[in-house]
């Protein structure tokens, strides 16, 4: 199966720009199921962590106000080809996902 | 052809209703009007011109009738009939007028 | 046309009626392109493939932000995996198509002489499955959407070139039926597709600006932010028809396939640029 | 990292606790109180210990004037302030105003983009926490109810 996290990284000089997209419903808990009328329980990523070669680069603490299928981008210095980039998240229901990629 | 068939079908239904009236003495005015509205709805559908709610209105009318809320049922049938008639008129009007709108 | 200007009105009217009856698909298309180019003189023809984002700059910049990393990329990836997976009897979907991968999307819609019907990409995919003893996919299933998203992605950059063969009266009839659908008012609100997307393109309906007809079919399936998911072109037809408060038709009904045939022809010359992202 | 982990293994105690809370080693815990706050003031108080931030023109907040769709509003925040520790997004009129808080580690530039949800037209505030205080800038984003496309 295809991964539920995607990463695009672009190195220019010393800088790397990292873009990431992941599949997650990011349910607010206020939305109703159109068929049953029942509230759909809150379900959202709480913490998303980016690491470069095991060093934490960015931690995103999130609420349900992040759009469904979340997207993030940031830039970091001191990056070079061969560096290992890892993205991982945990959500409020205990779900997790992660993806590791090597910068090219 | 289709219309003749439909007429014959509704004639048969009318005969059935007459028998029912004779047997039960009940008011089947609703059923008569319902069938008429349903016939018009399917005529509009055959012309590819049925409106969004017409079928739902007829369904709601049937539900109201099964609750013995005859006033509501009649009002709903009336709205459905009106919509179906308008949709048929619309289709006839468009048959003569659509081509005039084509950009030349 | 210029000559006609000197002729009395009634004759002009008669000539116009006759012209309408005689206008073929290519005349229709050129007239529509000319209509939009005179309405939006600053928009290059190729840009119409981007729909409303060709017209509205604030919306365009938001769209470009989404395109930085569009959620449809997941659909494309899943579609690629489905495409590369053999059916149980060993057949590849690709075996059913005569064209190379980038050209498959552009082969549809077309008119099939044998069945006398318009064949869409979705129909062709299901025909392939049925021939190989597989159940057809639901038209709005994620598998179908993913496959069409992948084929749309592979077709990027090729040009729309829908054919209505002169020697096929059935093809012209299907085209004409789609055209009639597009220009006929329907529903409680009494709107034709063309009322919004030809006559009023660029104007506002409540908080939305109306896109132009040409380019409407180039970028499907699309990821709708509003839905948080992908939808097909025909599902979008159904949405528009519901919006004018008419009863939508079944996906891949004759009505929708003929409409797709007509409307795709109107986009001839533009690039296939699916899958897309829309609000 | 590597040494720390080996140390824990050697210690042989509290292993389960550490494993259950790996992120506490990496970053602060998810600030539940700030995220459940119902006003921007409460959220900032909880997050920064004060709702007072210094308006700064060294923060660039890029958001649309009119959101195409309130469910997906692109946002980019960058700043030339130095020693940035965190960047937060506060949507004042959302039921829970704090949308996100990004912890910027050394080596990471203070420039992030995301896509957020907005329930209605509101001021959107970018709050930058540095080692010398909290700074902010705000912009209004209009959210409209769609016609046919929306």
């Amino acid at each position: 199966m295809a991964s539920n996290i995607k990463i695009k990284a672009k190195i220019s000089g010393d800088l790397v720009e990292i873009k990431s997209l992941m599949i997650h419903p990011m349910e607010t808990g206020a939305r109703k199921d159109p068929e049953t009328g029942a509230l759909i329980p809150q379900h959202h990523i709480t913490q998303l962590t980016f690491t470069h070669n095991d060093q934490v680069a960015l931690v995103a603490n999130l609420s349900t106000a992040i759009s469904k299928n979340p997207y993030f981008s940031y830039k970091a210095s001191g990056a070079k080809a061969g560096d290992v980039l890892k993205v991982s998240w945990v959500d409020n229901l205990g779900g997790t996902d992660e993806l590791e990629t090597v910068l090219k | 052809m289709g219309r003749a068939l439909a007429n014959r079908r509704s004639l048969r239904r009318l005969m059935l209703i007459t028998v029912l009236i004779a047997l039960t003495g009940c008011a089947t005015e609703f059923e008569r009007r319902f069938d008429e509205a349903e016939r018009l709805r399917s005529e509009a559908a055959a012309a590819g011109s049925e409106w969004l709610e017409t079928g739902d209105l007829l369904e709601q009318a049937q539900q109201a009738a099964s609750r013995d809320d005859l006033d509501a049922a009649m009002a709903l049938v009336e709205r459905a009939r009106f919509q179906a008639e308008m949709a048929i008129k619309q289709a006839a009007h468009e048959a003569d007028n659509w081509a005039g709108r084509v950009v030349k | 046309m210029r000559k006609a200007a000197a002729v009395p009105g009634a004759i002009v009217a008669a000539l116009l009626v006759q012209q309408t009856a005689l206008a073929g698909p290519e005349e229709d298309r050129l007239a529509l392109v000319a209509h939009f180019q005179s309405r939006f003189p600053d928009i290059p023809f190729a840009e119409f493939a981007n729909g409303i984002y060709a017209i509205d700059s604030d919306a365009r910049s938001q769209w470009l932000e989404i395109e930085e990393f569009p959620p449809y990329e997941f659909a494309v990836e899943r579609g690629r995996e489905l495409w590369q997976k053999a059916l149980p009897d060993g057949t590849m979907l690709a075996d059913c198509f005569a064209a190379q991968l980038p050209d498959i999307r552009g082969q549809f819609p077309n008119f099939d002489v044998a069945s006398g019907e318009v064949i869409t990409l979705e129909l062709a995919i299901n025909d392939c499955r049925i021939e190989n003893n597989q159940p057809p996919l639901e038209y709005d299933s994620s598998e179908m959407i993913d496959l069409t998203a992948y084929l749309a992605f592979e077709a990027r950059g090729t040009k729309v070139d829908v054919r209505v063969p002169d020697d096929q009266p059935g093809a012209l009839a299907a085209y004409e039926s789609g055209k009639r659908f597009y220009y006929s008012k329907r529903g409680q609100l009494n709107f034709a597709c063309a009322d919004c997307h030809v006559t009023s393109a660029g104007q506002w309906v409540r908080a939305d600006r109306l896109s132009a007809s040409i380019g409407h079919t180039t970028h499907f399936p699309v990821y709708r932010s509003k839905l948080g998911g992908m939808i097909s072109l025909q599902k979008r037809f159904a949405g528009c028809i519901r919006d004018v408060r008419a009863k939508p038709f079944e996906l891949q009904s004759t009505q929708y396939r003929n409409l797709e045939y007509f409307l795709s022809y109107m986009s001839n010359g533009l690039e296939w640029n699916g899958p897309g992202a829309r609000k | 990292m590597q040494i720390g982990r080996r140390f824990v293994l050697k210690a042989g105690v509290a292993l389960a606790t550490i494993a259950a809370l790996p992120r506490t080693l990496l970053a602060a815990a998810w600030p539940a109180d700030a995220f459940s706050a119902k006003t921007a003031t409460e959220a900032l108080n909880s997050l920064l210990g004060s709702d007072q931030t210094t308006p700064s023109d060294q923060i660039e907040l890029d958001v649309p004037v009119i959101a195409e769709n309130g469910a997906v509003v692109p946002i980019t925040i960058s700043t030339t302030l130095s020693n940035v520790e965190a960047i937060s997004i506060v949507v004042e009129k959302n039921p829970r105003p704090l949308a996100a808080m990004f912890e910027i580690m050394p080596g990471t530039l203070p420039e992030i983009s995301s896509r957020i949800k907005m329930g209605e037209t509101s001021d959107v505030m970018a709050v930058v926490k540095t080692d010398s205080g909290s700074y902010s800038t705000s912009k209004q984003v209009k959210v409209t109810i769609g016609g046919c496309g929306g």
Side-chain angles (χ1 to χ4, degrees), chain A residues 1-8 19-23 68-69 71, chain C residues 65 67-74 77-78 81 223 227-229:
Chain A
M1 218 19 236
S3 166
N4 285 331
I5 301 179
K6 280 180 176 286
I7 299 175
K8 287 178 190 172
K19 293 175 183 171
S20 179
L21 184 74
M22 55 215 73
I23 294 180
K68 179 176 178 179
N69 300 332
Y71 164 80
Chain C
E65 296 254 16
E67 284 286 340
E68 281 287 315
F69 212 148
Y72 60 66
E73 288 196 10
F74 286 105
E77 191 178 323
R78 289 190 301 262
E81 286 175 10
Y223 181 87
L227 305 170

Side-chain angles (χ1 to χ4, degrees), chain B residues 80-91:
Chain B
R81 188 195 55 77
F82 174 77
Q83 285 203 358
E85 277 180 359
M86 294 302 285
I88 292 163
K89 270 191 194 164
Q90 184 180 46

Side-chain angles (χ1 to χ4, degrees), chain D residues 14-38:
Chain D
L15 182 60
T17 319
I18 299 291
L21 300 165
R23 243 152 278 277
T24 56
L25 296 172
L26 310 175
W30 186 71
D33 288 349
F35 278 119
S36 59
K38 291 180 180 168

Side-chain angles (χ1 to χ4, degrees), chain C residues 9-193:
Chain C
I11 299 174
V12 174
L15 278 174
L16 286 176
V17 168
Q18 202 183 13
Q19 266 189 352
T20 309
L22 290 177
E26 194 54 14
E27 286 78 8
D28 288 343
R29 188 184 73 80
L30 292 172
L32 204 57
V33 170
H35 165 80
F36 288 122
Q37 288 190 325
S38 83
R39 169 159 299 188
F40 306 107
D42 299 332
I43 299 177
F45 172 69
E47 265 296 317
F48 282 100
N50 294 324
I52 195 59
Y53 305 126
I55 295 170
D56 188 310
S57 61
D58 190 32
R60 185 188 182 91
S61 63
Q62 293 175 61
W63 168 64
L64 290 174
E65 296 254 16
I66 304 290
E67 284 286 340
E68 281 287 315
F69 212 148
Y72 60 66
E73 288 196 10
F74 286 105
V76 171
E77 191 178 323
R78 289 190 301 262
R80 179 183 290 118
E81 286 175 10
L82 285 168
W83 184 261
Q84 290 169 351
K85 201 173 130 195
L87 297 175
D89 66 355
T91 313
M92 304 298 287
L93 280 170
D95 299 341
C96 295
F97 294 86
Q100 294 295 307
L101 192 53
D103 298 321
I104 292 176
R105 164 67 274 192
Q107 286 190 314
F108 304 92
N110 65 45
F111 183 78
D112 177 55
V113 180
S115 63
E117 291 194 48
V118 170
I119 307 296
T120 58
L121 179 58
E122 287 87 344
L123 239 56
I125 288 172
N126 270 350
D127 281 352
C128 179
R129 291 179 58 91
I130 292 162
E131 274 167 32
N132 294 287
N133 305 311
Q134 287 304 298
L137 299 170
E138 294 282 339
Y139 294 121
D140 55 359
S141 64
S142 57
E143 291 96 327
M144 182 60 92
I145 300 270
D146 293 345
L147 281 167
T148 57
Y150 171 60
L151 292 173
F153 183 76
E154 289 292 335
R156 278 187 177 186
T158 65
K159 294 257 171 84
V160 181
D161 183 19
V162 173
R163 310 269 171 90
V164 181
D166 283 343
D167 55 350
Q168 289 301 331
L172 190 62
Y175 168 90
E176 283 291 331
S177 143
K179 174 173 154 189
R180 176 175 174 168
F181 190 108
Y182 200 75
Y183 284 98
S184 294
K185 289 177 188 285
R186 63 190 69 247
Q188 205 167 357
L189 302 188
N190 202 35
F191 273 109
C193 306

